[in-house]
Amino acid sequence: MRPRDNILVGAVITAAFVVLVVGTLWLVRGGLQGGYPMYVRLPWGSGIKQGQTVFLTGVDVGFVSAVDLRTDGTLVVEMRIRKQFRIPEGTTASIEPNGFFGDVDVALRPSRPTTSYIPPRDTVPAGKPAPTMAQLLARADSASTRLGDVARVVQVEMVQGGGIADLRKTLESANALVVQLSGIAAAQSRYLDRTMRSLSRTVSAIDSATVDSAVKNLKTTTANMSDLTNNLERATSQLDAVLVKVDSGGGTVGKFVNDPAVYNNLQAVLARLDSLTADLRRNPKRYINVHIF
Amino acid sequence: MTATALPEGGAFRRAWDVIARPILEFFNGVGARGYFLREILRALGEPGTYLPEVVKQMRAIGVDSLPLASLVAAFIGSVIALQTRYQLFPGIQLSVIGLIARQMVILELGPLLTGLVLAGRVGAQMTAEIGTMRVTEQIDALETLAFDPVAYLVVPRIIAGLIMLPVLTVYADVIGIGFSFLTSVIVTDVHTFDFRAGLRLGFSQFQVFYSLLKALMFGGAISFLCSYEGYVTGAGAEGVGRSTARAVVIASIWILVLDALTAAVLAPYLQA
């Protein structure tokens, strides 16, 4: 027996023993720092088991260290929370699914930010559980059933009732219409191109000096028109004043227009003038006496 | 051997050769190993003979095999991580990789591959050593000198095998999981947190006990079967070669058989 063999074998076995103990404890307890226990009471069938993660608002704060099955329909779940984390007052614990295959986590959700905490070894109230995979699958099953019903109706209406044939005809008509519209658009485009070319030619033919002169003439004409308009406005206002005066019966014209006596007098004058004219025709000598010398 | 003496006659002899002889040889082999086991148990009463040799054999079986067992475990751990990651379809949480790596390494591949590797390396060495001593009549010399050859040659190897294979399995488990973790985190998109969460999911101490129990059985099987094959070796150097090959094959088969039996008996207790 050589001492070197003893040392080597002893070292290997001791190291293996230490690795075995430490590794097992690490896997079982989730680390060598123990943390403190917290409890939550959950209903049967929660799918929780030892080793599952405990999240506090999404942060990994510990793990499930033990699950105790009670005959009253509940599971008492012991959680190990790492020492640097504390559970705020008002927090509820619920089970939430993790992935598609039934794995779950414990989710701790504080109701509000607070500086008071639930003491270690206390029980966190159970919250409303998130929908389980079975519930989600049932919902998906119901949705797929409804989808099947819709598909059946579509099959009846579209296939058996000839809906697809009608749709196809409509699409063909629409296609023909689109072709026609495309032709029209192409023709219009050609006309528009031609017009644009002509316009371009015309525009390019205009002499800028002529345009300048025309613009100056146009400005002068506009100024004259402005003066004319002002004169017209003045004349109109004067005419308005005259008409107002006439309308109110002021002045000779007003009286002439508005006074019935003037009219009657004028009628009488005209009647006398008529009789005078008639008398003059009949007896011109009464009025015309020509004396020579 | 009188148990397999052949009767005379054509058809009867052929039937004897085909059916009865293998059965009788099987029983003969079981009985011979049973006697050998009895000799081992008897030899346990002579600690003064075997204890000085135990540490030497522990070094040969355990310490010297550590690099090979570690290498195999490291590659197996890496392959498990890569294969598992790339077989996962979208939607499966990545922590599954840690869980699968742990379960595969601790429950199955750690002890099994360590056992198979040691059956090749240590089992062959045991058979060759003892067989050579047999054909060179050193065992007869030991008997002449009033040394119990079973206590001196076989018992230390069996004790060393029973102790060192679980020790090597602990290293293989740790190295396998460690390399699985490193491969997952470095080569794939698995995060440390995912792997660690899966590693701890549904773990119980019984899984480690199961792994060590298998290693214990494999260690006992390797040292017992290979020592026996060497102890009964005959016909010179050629016989030693045949016995060595035969020992490795028998030990490997028995490792697989014991693995299956252990899984059949204890697997229900492993359910996560």
Side-chain angles (χ1 to χ4, degrees), chain A residues 70-87:
Chain A
R70 298 289 173 90
T71 54
D72 60 355
T74 60
L75 300 169
V76 175
V77 178
E78 184 189 84
M79 304 173 288
R80 284 272 162 186
I81 308 297
R82 285 195 285 280
K83 283 174 186 166
Q84 65 265 37
F85 296 106
R86 299 181 69 187
I87 311 300

Side-chain angles (χ1 to χ4, degrees), chain A residues 5-6 12 15 26 50 60, chain B residues 55 58-59 171 174 193 200 202:
Chain A
D5 287 349
N6 292 348
V12 168
W26 185 77
Q50 186 195 15
D60 175 15
Chain B
V55 175
M58 283 167 79
R59 169 163 185 180
Y171 284 110
V174 171
F193 169 76
R200 289 173 178 164

Side-chain angles (χ1 to χ4, degrees), chain A residues 1-2 4-6 8-9 11-17 19-20 23-31 49-53 55 60 63 82 98-101 103-104, chain B residues 51-52 55-56 58-59 62-64 66 89-93 95 102 106 163-164 166-168 170-171 174 177 193 196-197 199-205 208 212 272:
Chain A
M1 199 165 37
R2 290 183 300 175
R4 182 180 156 80
D5 287 349
N6 292 348
L8 269 175
V9 170
V12 168
I13 291 175
T14 307
F17 181 74
V19 165
L20 176 71
T24 305
L25 287 176
W26 185 77
L27 285 174
V28 170
R29 292 185 180 174
K49 59 189 173 190
Q50 186 195 15
Q52 281 164 329
T53 312
F55 290 103
D60 175 15
F63 62 96
R82 285 195 285 280
N98 178 8
F100 289 165
F101 295 95
D103 194 15
V104 294
Chain B
L51 278 182
V55 175
K56 182 183 165 189
M58 283 167 79
R59 169 163 185 180
V63 179
D64 293 349
L66 190 56
F89 49 84
I92 299 181
Q93 61 268 35
S95 60
R102 186 198 75 204
I106 291 182
I163 294 172
M164 293 314 286
V167 169
L168 287 174
V170 170
Y171 284 110
V174 171
I177 292 173
F193 169 76
R196 203 179 59 201
L199 208 57
R200 289 173 178 164
L201 184 63
F203 177 77
S204 69
Q205 297 93 321
V208 175
L212 297 182

Side-chain angles (χ1 to χ4, degrees), chain A residues 78-154:
Chain A
E78 184 189 84
M79 304 173 288
R80 284 272 162 186
I81 308 297
R82 285 195 285 280
K83 283 174 186 166
Q84 65 265 37
F85 296 106
R86 299 181 69 187
I87 311 300
E89 289 278 2
T91 298
T92 56
S94 57
I95 301 300
E96 62 177 19
N98 178 8
F100 289 165
F101 295 95
D103 194 15
V104 294
D105 294 322
V106 178
L108 301 175
R109 292 195 183 85
S111 58
R112 63 190 186 286
T114 176
T115 52
S116 55
Y117 300 98
I118 301 175
R121 298 183 174 278
D122 206 343
T123 300
V124 180
K128 188 181 174 188
T132 63
M133 195 51 63
Q135 288 168 329
L136 292 174
L137 287 174
R139 187 65 62 85
D141 188 47
S142 141
S144 68
T145 305
R146 284 163 190 255
L147 196 62
D149 293 342
V150 171
R152 249 191 317 280
V153 170
V154 168

Side-chain angles (χ1 to χ4, degrees), chain B residues 75-164:
Chain B
F75 277 99
I76 286 297
S78 298
V79 170
I80 288 171
L82 285 173
Q83 290 280 14
T84 308
R85 175 64 193 95
Y86 293 117
Q87 301 307 316
L88 292 184
F89 49 84
I92 299 181
Q93 61 268 35
L94 295 178
S95 60
V96 167
I97 294 168
L99 176 67
I100 290 176
R102 186 198 75 204
Q103 296 291 77
M104 288 190 72
V105 170
I106 291 182
L107 298 183
E108 193 57 44
L109 294 178
L112 181 68
L113 287 178
T114 306
L116 288 174
V117 165
L118 260 70
R121 183 188 175 277
V122 176
Q125 187 182 348
M126 278 183 200
T127 307
E129 280 176 3
I130 298 175
T132 304
M133 291 178 78
R134 167 64 72 191
V135 298
T136 55
E137 298 178 347
Q138 293 179 56
I139 291 177
D140 298 331
L142 284 172
E143 285 173 345
T144 308
L145 293 170
F147 259 94
D148 182 356
V150 173
Y152 185 70
L153 297 175
V154 178
V155 174
R157 287 174 169 80
I158 288 179
I159 292 173
L162 287 172
I163 294 172
M164 293 314 286

